[in-house]
Amino acid sequence: NLTFMLRFNALNSVQNKKPLQVAENGKRSELFAINVFNEVAMRQLMTRDAFDAVMNAIQYGTKIDRRVADQVAASMRDWAISKGATHYTHWFQPLTGGTAEKHDAFFEPVTRDSAIERFSGNQLVQQESDASSFPNGGIRNTFEARGYTAWDPSSPPFVYGTVLCIPTIFIAYTGEALDNKTPLLKALSAIDQAATEVARYFDKNVSKVTCTLGCEQEYFLIDRTLANTRPDLMITGRTLLGHEAAKGQQLDDHYLGAIPSRVLAYMRDLEQECLLLGIPVKTRHNEVAPNQFELAPIFGEANLAVDQNSLLMDVMRKVAERHDFVVLFHEKPFAGVNGSGKHNNWSLVTDTGVNLFAPSKTPQKNLQFLTFFICTIKAVHEYEPLLRASVASATNDYRLGANEAPPAIVSVFIGEQLNKVLDALENMSGEEVSGKDKTELKLNVVGKIPDLFLDTTDRNRTSPFAFTGNKFEFRAVGSKANCGKPMMVLNTIVAKQLIDFKKEVDSLIEGGMKKEDAIFRVLRAYVKSSKAIRFEGDGYSKAWEEEAARRGLSNHKTTPEALRENITDKAIALFEGMGVLSKVELIARYEIALEEYVKTVQIESRVLGDIARNHVVPTAVRYQNTLIENVRGLKEIFGDAYQEVASEQIELIRHISEHIKVIHSTVEAMIEARKRANHLATFVERADAYCNEVKPFFADIRYHCDKLELMIDDELWTLTKYRELLFN
Ligand code: ADP
Ligand code: MG
């Protein structure tokens, strides 16, 4: 164990501990985005033509021609070199999570003894990459394992370390998306079009609607040297065994508590790195569990916010190295201790500056608010299984529905006052809604809304999808997740709903109804038909599970089950109809997700088997031998009376043997189950087998190992314990 620690310490000492950038002096605002090739930098450094071309590409998705691209690339190169970059990379988000990059040098020899720094428009705009080692779900055969990365001008390039990172999409040679960004961009475009059309009922000046996103990132910080003594933490990102500490989070003394100075130093360093990269980090605080923290940026345009969250996670890992911490993004690193999520705060804003989910005091505007609000609730009701599937992963399965995180059932919380508003709307008679002189009533209904926002205290922490004043908050997203996935689904379903809404309202208007009345009529029908999704009670309770079943809501507790929702006829019709994902892409994604699931559970199973046999059992035997030695000695001294004197030790010897026996037989049985699972033909069968045949052994093995942890001499125990890992 000691050698293990020393080995990792040695590795650590090789790492560069110097911060990448130092800028302790001066105001932090002066650091903001200085390593980002944003509008300010472009305006300064690019020709007018090049600048206009990029701005048009950002705003309207127009193509940048190759000559202009050369100019853009040249400016970008010079800027990046001035920031210390020597390489560039097409930075993208593969379906396996995280980010991917392959660095190419600007440096290019021209003759035998001269060289230049080169970066052409072609190199900026598109790269062919050998993508054979990224999963493709059968889209490409390996012999044509070509993929393309293509520049996404709506997310600005940035210099990170010594590399110019160019955000790109990643698609197959045959055109199918192989990443999270491509369908997200399509979904964002769909919501833009659909929401703009609807917003124009209320204001003809609206020509664009942007989705905004703020991700609250939760994480654990663990001392690196201690974490290194735990193969489970290092390999799987979570502890596969370990008994709860005597003092955990029972006292609730950690939430918003004072941040320990060592952690604060980490946060300061991290925030500085983030600001340089244009990530507007704002809030930091202790979370509920020991060693758990949260970092929230100020919200921004969704595509950029997703990119920045991916980048943030990477920066967090790197800065943690400098501070001898390990940062854990796993949704449930410690049993019995709260897990980590990533609340996705979601809203829509018009180019006239109106947040479509912010109620206002004028009735006209409030009708607009109600329209978007109710359409969202309706969309969530219609497609709740897809939202559930969008956050499904092997790691999030340990968190969802675990009595401290949102349940696996999706429901919408809107608070008491808005419920009253919707109930009033629902209970109006058709007459009242369409009648001429009933404006009074409408005003009454909508007039209730503004009061709500003086009081947002009745926020329901158990709800997976909650309205929080001027935005919805999707809370079931896992801390490790790429937010692109849930954001793609949410925007697609709401876009679809808005399109349907528009059709219904238009047809009523064509039939001679007044616009406002038509809108009210359709909204009222939506309030009625989507009632089942609204829930204000305790989402963690057993009663809600039963009630939700009666309401016909899905409750998929495992990833393989949840993922099936992505390939139903309804899902395929939705995503194809909205132009977001094709059937081929959906099936490929389904397979990739299942494959990832299988691998994750398989690795956990192997590591657990190894630790149980190589750490726990040998340690138990060693301690048992000490006890046996002790009993022998007592026998020598006390003769026949030893049985009485050594009864505790003898009992302990017996218990240890019993636990060892069960551990051995359970690990054997688990290995057999794994073998059977591995031989199944499809990923669907394999995922089911890993979920239902292999995973259930984990809890048994853990139970007996944790019992031994309590019995065995602390000095002998090789694995760092919870009370040592969770120091704060
Ligand atoms: P908490 O849920 O922890 O109480 P806050 O109310 O501070 O959090 O806000 C959480 C997140 O919501 C922040 O990242 C914030 O930027 C984001 N947010 C606020 N307004 C919007 C909006 N209109 N669209 C998207 N995100 C928003
Ligand atoms: Mg929140």
Side-chain angles (χ1 to χ4, degrees):
N1 201 29
L2 193 62
T3 41
F4 196 75
M5 270 160 78
L6 293 175
R7 199 161 60 227
F8 272 92
N9 276 343
L11 271 180
N12 266 338
S13 65
V14 185
Q15 279 157 5
N16 180 10
K17 299 230 165 146
K18 211 177 64 197
L20 297 175
Q21 304 261 355
V22 188
E24 273 304 325
N25 56 345
K27 295 179 195 131
R28 282 194 154 185
S29 57
E30 284 165 15
L31 298 177
F32 190 61
I34 63 175
N35 288 345
V36 183
F37 196 64
N38 54 16
E39 202 179 318
V40 181
M42 287 195 294
R43 205 185 282 280
Q44 264 170 19
L45 300 169
M46 284 178 5
T47 61
R48 188 63 207 240
D49 281 356
F51 178 77
D52 288 346
V54 176
M55 292 316 285
N56 277 330
I58 294 171
Q59 269 177 345
Y60 310 108
T62 50
K63 270 213 152 59
I64 296 174
D65 81 51
R66 285 291 148 111
R67 270 224 334 276
V68 177
D70 277 335
Q71 289 181 34
V72 177
S75 316
M76 210 183 273
R77 173 202 61 201
D78 294 343
W79 170 85
I81 290 171
S82 80
K83 300 280 173 194
T86 55
H87 289 66
Y88 66 92
T89 185
H90 274 200
W91 184 82
F92 62 97
Q93 295 158 40
L95 291 169
T96 36
T99 55
E101 47 196 87
K102 176 187 130 226
H103 300 173
D104 284 299
F106 291 124
F107 166 85
E108 199 173 284
V110 252
T111 66
R112 224 176 50 193
D113 39 30
S114 71
I116 54 164
E117 307 288 327
R118 207 177 110 80
F119 184 52
S120 68
N122 282 338
Q123 288 164 316
L124 163 65
V125 172
Q126 190 171 308
Q127 296 259 295
E128 190 179 317
S129 70
D130 172 24
S132 53
S133 43
F134 290 105
N136 61 69
I139 282 178
R140 294 162 301 138
N141 298 315
T142 25
F143 64 85
E144 46 171 42
R146 275 184 292 173
Y148 285 110
T149 50
W151 182 30
D152 164 23
S154 63
S155 182
F158 54 91
V159 169
Y160 184 36
T162 54
V163 181
L164 167 66
C165 299
I166 300 149
T168 59
I169 58 166
F170 179 40
I171 51 176
Y173 177 58
T174 40
E176 287 87 2
L178 294 174
D179 65 351
N180 287 309
K181 188 193 265 274
T182 307
L184 173 67
L185 288 173
K186 290 178 177 171
L188 291 173
S189 158
I191 192 94
D192 173 11
Q193 281 174 36
T196 300
E197 292 269 307
V198 172
R200 286 169 64 84
Y201 277 143
F202 308 97
D203 181 358
K204 287 280 173 228
N205 296 316
V206 174
S207 61
K208 188 175 169 62
V209 171
T210 305
C211 169
T212 55
L213 169 66
C215 317
E216 302 166 56
Q217 179 72 53
E218 289 182 331
Y219 62 101
F220 279 84
L221 269 188
I222 303 296
D223 179 83
R224 177 166 292 266
T225 308
L226 295 180
N228 282 336
T229 66
R230 300 277 317 217
D232 49 353
L233 260 188
M234 296 316 286
I235 298 168
T236 70
R238 75 175 181 112
T239 54
L240 297 171
L241 44 87
H243 202 278
E244 257 177 74
K247 176 183 180 291
Q249 60 190 60
Q250 311 91 318
L251 299 178
D252 282 327
D253 54 355
H254 190 258
Y255 188 63
L256 301 185
I259 300 172
S261 53
R262 188 178 163 200
V263 174
L264 203 56
Y266 165 77
M267 288 176 168
R268 285 185 63 83
D269 195 0
L270 171 64
E271 284 164 6
Q272 190 146 312
E273 293 287 342
C274 286
L275 293 179
L276 293 168
L277 291 164
I279 306 172
V281 286
K282 177 88 175 152
T283 325
R284 60 184 180 202
H285 62 76
N286 275 8
E287 264 301 328
V288 177
N291 290 54
Q292 194 189 28
F293 308 96
E294 182 189 290
L295 184 71
I298 295 168
F299 68 95
E301 187 277 314
N303 176 41
L304 184 58
V306 169
D307 280 0
Q308 289 188 335
N309 180 256
S310 295
L311 178 60
L312 171 72
M313 289 167 76
D314 196 43
V315 177
M316 286 174 79
R317 281 190 206 99
K318 290 197 171 124
V319 175
E321 280 175 16
R322 293 207 291 265
H323 292 258
D324 287 322
F325 280 127
V326 173
V327 47
L328 304 178
F329 290 116
H330 194 290
E331 282 81 357
K332 191 75 183 171
F334 304 98
V337 175
N338 268 12
S340 303
K342 179 148 56 195
H343 295 177
N344 277 209
N345 294 271
W346 172 88
S347 186
L348 298 172
V349 62
T350 65
D351 58 349
T352 53
V354 175
N355 175 353
L356 292 168
F357 292 105
S360 79
K361 291 209 194 290
T362 70
Q364 187 61 25
K365 281 278 157 55
N366 269 337
L367 187 54
Q368 173 171 295
F369 161 74
L370 277 180
T371 297
F372 284 91
F373 182 67
I374 292 169
C375 281
T376 301
I377 295 171
K378 170 84 174 154
V380 174
H381 179 241
E382 193 63 35
Y383 292 106
E384 47 88 4
L386 290 180
L387 280 177
R388 165 65 184 97
S390 78
V391 297
S393 72
T395 52
N396 209 14
D397 277 0
Y398 291 108
R399 171 177 165 263
L400 290 186
N403 274 338
E404 30 110 338
I409 309 160
V410 175
S411 63
V412 182
F413 169 87
I414 59 174
E416 199 187 323
Q417 278 161 299
L418 279 167
N419 262 303
K420 278 193 193 139
V421 172
L422 295 201
D423 289 344
L425 185 57
E426 184 188 347
N427 295 328
M428 279 188 235
S429 69
E431 273 292 284
E432 282 172 317
V433 174
S434 58
K436 254 208 234 114
D437 42 52
K438 298 292 192 281
T439 2
E440 183 77 7
L441 192 58
K442 287 182 219 164
L443 296 185
N444 275 344
V445 172
V446 288
K448 279 180 188 158
I449 301 168
D451 308 336
L452 172 78
F453 303 96
L454 303 173
D455 171 31
T456 47
T457 47
D458 67 337
R459 297 221 268 170
N460 184 333
R461 288 275 152 196
T462 68
S463 175
F465 198 85
F467 184 70
T468 49
N470 59 1
K471 61 191 189 298
F472 278 99
E473 191 168 328
F474 188 21
R475 301 197 180 120
V477 185
S479 47
K480 213 176 148 186
N482 180 307
C483 301
K485 257 190 247 184
M487 281 298 108
M488 179 269 285
V489 172
L490 180 57
N491 285 297
T492 303
I493 64 174
V494 175
K496 167 79 169 84
Q497 190 57 60
L498 289 169
I499 290 171
D500 291 350
F501 170 80
K502 177 98 184 355
K503 270 191 209 138
E504 290 179 60
V505 171
D506 283 352
S507 88
L508 288 177
I509 294 173
E510 270 162 39
M513 197 180 276
K514 266 182 58 194
K515 186 176 76 184
E516 274 206 359
D517 293 336
I519 290 172
F520 258 108
R521 166 80 63 92
V522 177
L523 288 182
R524 196 170 68 114
Y526 283 3
V527 169
K528 277 190 183 164
S529 61
S530 63
K531 230 177 154 177
I533 200 75
R534 277 157 57 198
F535 179 63
E536 303 287 304
D538 177 4
Y540 300 166
S541 68
K542 188 77 199 148
W544 168 230
E545 267 198 61
E546 289 157 11
E547 168 64 19
R550 276 193 295 278
R551 292 189 189 184
L553 301 178
S554 75
N555 183 6
H556 298 309
K557 296 211 160 122
T558 67
T559 291
E561 214 186 277
L563 289 176
R564 282 195 234 298
E565 298 285 357
N566 283 336
I567 52 156
T568 61
D569 290 345
K570 187 174 173 181
I572 293 168
L574 168 78
F575 288 115
E576 288 207 320
M578 297 300 294
V580 172
L581 283 167
S582 69
K583 184 174 178 180
V584 173
E585 289 172 319
L586 283 164
I587 291 172
R589 263 151 218 268
Y590 178 55
E591 276 190 21
I592 291 166
L594 287 178
E595 184 176 352
E596 195 184 351
Y597 179 84
V598 165
K599 284 182 180 159
T600 307
V601 181
Q602 185 178 53
I603 291 169
E604 287 194 344
S605 166
R606 286 179 183 156
V607 173
L608 179 59
D610 285 352
I611 299 183
R613 288 175 150 177
N614 304 338
H615 284 254
V616 176
V617 170
T619 309
V621 169
R622 207 175 308 150
Y623 181 55
Q624 198 183 35
N625 283 340
T626 318
L627 292 171
I628 292 169
E629 198 50 37
N630 177 253
V631 172
R632 271 209 203 98
L634 291 172
K635 192 173 177 183
E636 255 172 43
I637 296 168
F638 294 99
D640 282 348
Y642 88 99
Q643 294 235 14
E644 169 76 36
V645 182
S647 65
E648 296 291 328
Q649 290 89 320
I650 293 169
E651 203 45 21
L652 207 47
I653 290 167
R654 184 175 299 120
H655 279 314
I656 291 175
S657 281
E658 282 163 5
H659 288 302
I660 291 177
K661 211 167 145 194
V662 183
I663 291 173
H664 267 304
S665 61
T666 317
V667 170
E668 271 313 310
M670 178 175 73
I671 293 171
E672 284 309 310
R674 223 158 64 205
K675 281 186 190 155
R676 282 194 301 276
N678 292 341
H679 280 105
L680 294 169
T682 65
F683 270 116
V684 179
E685 293 166 288
R686 253 175 277 167
D688 282 340
Y690 266 96
C691 181
N692 304 318
E693 314 292 336
V694 177
K695 215 177 105 179
F697 286 111
F698 293 6
D700 271 356
I701 297 170
R702 178 178 194 139
Y703 173 81
H704 292 281
C705 291
D706 290 355
K707 282 281 175 214
L708 286 173
E709 182 188 318
L710 291 185
M711 291 176 187
I712 285 163
D713 184 353
D714 188 57
E715 246 177 79
L716 295 177
W717 197 252
T718 60
L719 298 161
T720 305
K721 295 180 178 178
Y722 271 27
R723 65 159 186 267
E724 295 148 348
L725 286 169
L726 300 170
F727 59 89
N728 163 48

